[in-house]
Amino acid sequence: MTAASTAPREDPGSGSASLRPWPNWFRTLFMSDLWERFGFFGMQAILVLFAVAPRDEGGLGLAKADAAALFGAWIGLAFMLCLPGGWIADRLLGPRRTLLLGAAVTTAGHFALATPLLWLTPLALVLLAVGMGLYKPNHQALLNLMFKDNGRREAGISLIYVGIQVSALTSPLIAGFLGERVDWRLGFAVSGTAMLIGTVQVALARPQFEGVGEQPGRPLDADAARRVKRRSGTVAGILVLLLGGMAATGALTAGSGIALVGMASIIAPVLAYTVLYRSRELGPGDRRRLRSFLWIFLGSTLFWSLIAQDGSSLTLFAKHSTDRDVLGFEVPVSWLQSATPLFILVLAPVFAWLLLKHGGGRAGVPAKFSAGLLLTGVSFLIMALAAGLASGDDKVSPLWLLVVYLMHACGELIVAAVGIAAVADVLPRRFIAHMLGLLWLFAALGGGAGSGLVRLIDVIPEALYYLLLAVLALAVGGTLALRRHTVARGLAPEDAAPPATVKEGDPV
């Protein structure tokens, strides 16, 4: 059963920025992501604060740099696991069942984090990363499989950000307040409850997809399945021995765990991209498009390493360098993280309309992506100025952070929607979950890099740290803008890419 033969027709109103005209399957994916993101953003709002809180206050008692790096490493691990999550869907379970499994594992992770047993915290974070790795690429794979038109696909993904940001706006207010002012575990339990609702909803919605995504696109034969089991067992055994040895010698600490994730996040995307590029199932045109899409992969790496600063360095900046007193009430640090989702919530319908009107297919992908990177670069120029004004004991207005969060919201609406939608046209549809997993694996590289970069705050002035991030984003965004026509030609299908323009083996 193939997606092409079973995909339901899209409703005539699929271009609307309102949820009502969209089909039932779209509304289900909309709501399931609403609940999943509620749990994610609620946990994100308090994870770093929980990590730096002293043990006698129920926290982990980590140093500031270690807590910020922990968040970056966790994001990196979660994104890294999106590739095996996509592989499991493509070769074993199909996107819909893998999505459901991811939702269930994520629910277990949230509730494990909500227990008063601190030793369960590493296990809970691993469960959350595994669950996100199973859920995220397959939610996006189902969207891509159900949509046929690229413009509607981009608009639909952008509109889904409305639901996501309703969650992201409210969850820091609820989970953040309960975690900071009542009990950390209560804040995590709220996230688990939301994810449980989403899991039940996905389980009940099977008929709406009419068989699309029910089966793997490239199922394993018996010999391949045996090879996978053997290799998986070998890798698992090595990991058990490595981690067991580190634990026995006392070398398994928060710092060493973060370092291991960082190393893996660098090696994994390079290895995974190389293996896919050399696949015998790909033709010359597929490899040409995959080479050109490397610009998008690397741009995604940089973008998400910068956006991850919202939950780490910017959260700590809000805690220590921002005047949060409003009429005698000190605004909880976690509440400021509601700013980005609020801006996305307001702007998502506008961006959905713009992306639908100016879809542009492949030709617009590199230009839009560079615009998102340039916006993010300018935001860190603003942060560098704010950090300079907040040196010493001085504190700055939260308006500085609000402007930065606004620019991050605009960048995320562009980069996430365009990158996810563009994946569908690079390789044949049977690779779609694999490609989405690879996209998030490169985002994992950003998370791993971010967990290392954030340690520079203890070495160099904070203003210089943000300035370096700004220069990096502006340089990459500017280069991609200058090469947008070359990248667009490389992404074009065979009938739109004359051999004289782009040949197999040519540099992109």
Side-chain angles (χ1 to χ4, degrees):
M1 184 178 294
T2 65
S5 63
T6 60
R9 295 177 60 190
E10 297 170 39
D11 288 4
S14 290
S16 171
S18 166
L19 188 60
R20 185 181 299 275
W22 295 72
N24 288 335
W25 61 262
F26 181 84
R27 292 198 290 268
T28 292
L29 293 177
F30 182 101
M31 291 301 299
S32 67
D33 229 33
L34 183 150
W35 292 118
E36 192 272 340
R37 292 290 88 181
F38 186 101
F40 172 82
F41 283 105
M43 186 273 293
Q44 175 184 278
I46 58 177
L47 179 60
V48 171
L49 301 174
F50 163 70
V52 298
R55 288 295 186 100
D56 58 5
E57 295 178 10
L60 297 179
L62 297 182
K64 175 182 173 181
D66 285 339
L70 173 66
F71 177 79
W74 178 82
I75 285 288
L77 179 62
F79 285 165
M80 198 187 319
L81 293 175
C82 286
L83 180 62
W87 186 92
I88 288 170
D90 276 350
R91 309 307 301 267
L92 297 176
L93 298 179
R96 194 202 65 83
R97 287 186 291 175
T98 310
L99 174 72
L100 179 59
L101 176 62
V105 173
T106 302
T107 301
H110 282 302
F111 282 118
L113 199 57
T115 68
L117 304 173
L118 286 179
W119 62 268
L120 272 179
T121 300
L123 175 62
L125 292 175
V126 169
L127 287 173
L128 287 170
V130 170
M132 181 173 165
L134 293 168
Y135 180 94
K136 197 172 189 69
N138 292 295
H139 182 274
Q140 294 160 358
L142 280 177
L143 280 172
N144 276 310
L145 288 171
M146 301 295 283
F147 278 119
K148 299 284 188 64
D149 177 76
N150 188 66
R152 287 183 177 180
R153 190 186 304 131
E154 287 186 358
I157 293 170
S158 184
L159 184 58
I160 273 186
Y161 267 69
V162 174
I164 292 174
Q165 305 315 317
V166 167
S167 298
L169 170 64
T170 55
S171 59
L173 300 178
I174 299 172
F177 180 83
L178 292 174
E180 283 190 67
R181 301 294 169 86
V182 182
D183 187 273
W184 299 114
R185 307 298 173 173
L186 187 57
F188 294 130
V190 169
S191 295
T193 302
M195 195 62 228
L196 178 61
I197 295 172
T199 302
V200 172
Q201 182 183 24
V202 171
L204 296 177
R206 178 181 178 182
Q208 296 175 1
F209 297 97
E210 301 178 14
V212 175
E214 195 66 27
Q215 300 298 325
R218 300 180 295 137
L220 291 173
D221 57 34
D223 290 339
R226 282 193 293 271
R227 287 196 301 271
V228 167
K229 289 179 181 178
R230 185 168 58 251
R231 292 172 183 173
S232 298
T234 301
V235 172
I238 292 172
L239 286 175
V240 168
L241 289 174
L242 175 63
L243 296 177
M246 293 178 66
T249 59
L252 187 59
T253 63
S256 63
I258 292 168
L260 285 173
V261 172
M263 289 171 53
S265 68
I266 294 171
I267 297 170
V270 176
L271 181 62
Y273 179 88
T274 303
V275 170
L276 179 60
Y277 185 83
R278 293 180 176 178
S279 172
R280 287 177 290 181
E281 298 182 60
L282 302 184
D286 297 324
R287 291 192 178 93
R288 167 178 52 78
R289 287 188 295 275
L290 194 56
R291 287 198 307 273
S292 292
F293 204 75
L294 186 58
W295 279 95
I296 306 304
F297 282 142
L298 294 176
S300 177
T301 294
L302 176 59
F303 179 79
W304 292 110
S305 70
L306 298 174
I307 291 300
Q309 303 295 317
D310 290 5
S312 56
S313 63
L314 296 189
T315 295
L316 295 173
F317 182 86
K319 179 179 177 65
H320 299 294
S321 304
T322 303
D323 183 4
R324 293 176 284 111
D325 185 86
V326 178
L327 301 176
F329 173 73
E330 186 178 41
V331 175
V333 176
S334 54
W335 282 16
L336 288 177
Q337 291 193 42
S338 292
T340 298
L342 175 61
F343 292 135
I344 292 180
L345 178 61
V346 173
L347 294 173
V350 177
F351 276 81
W353 177 80
L354 287 172
L355 290 170
L356 182 60
K357 186 174 181 180
H358 305 287
R362 294 175 183 84
V365 170
K368 295 171 189 173
F369 222 86
S370 65
L373 288 172
L374 291 171
L375 271 173
T376 309
V378 173
S379 76
F380 280 102
L381 286 178
I382 295 171
M383 270 308 303
L385 182 57
L389 294 174
S391 59
D393 295 329
D394 294 333
K395 293 188 176 184
V396 298
S397 167
L399 291 176
W400 289 94
L401 277 175
L402 293 179
V403 171
V404 171
Y405 290 146
L406 172 61
M407 302 186 79
H408 287 186
C410 294
E412 188 172 341
L413 280 167
I414 298 170
V415 168
V418 173
I420 293 167
V423 161
D425 297 322
V426 179
L427 298 182
R429 283 297 178 99
R430 63 184 183 274
F431 288 93
I432 191 166
H434 191 128
M435 278 293 292
L436 284 163
L438 190 57
L439 177 68
W440 291 111
L441 187 60
F442 274 86
L445 175 57
S451 68
L453 283 174
V454 76
R455 293 184 180 277
L456 291 176
I457 292 180
D458 286 346
V459 180
I460 62 176
E462 196 167 4
L464 179 58
Y465 172 73
Y466 292 125
L467 181 60
L468 291 174
L469 297 182
V471 170
L472 183 59
L474 292 172
V476 175
T479 302
L480 182 55
L482 292 173
R483 296 186 60 84
R484 64 190 183 278
H485 297 300
T486 303
V487 176
R489 286 195 299 270
L491 291 173
E494 279 74 8
D495 58 358
T501 302
V502 180
K503 296 181 181 179
E504 174 68 13
D506 284 349
V508 177

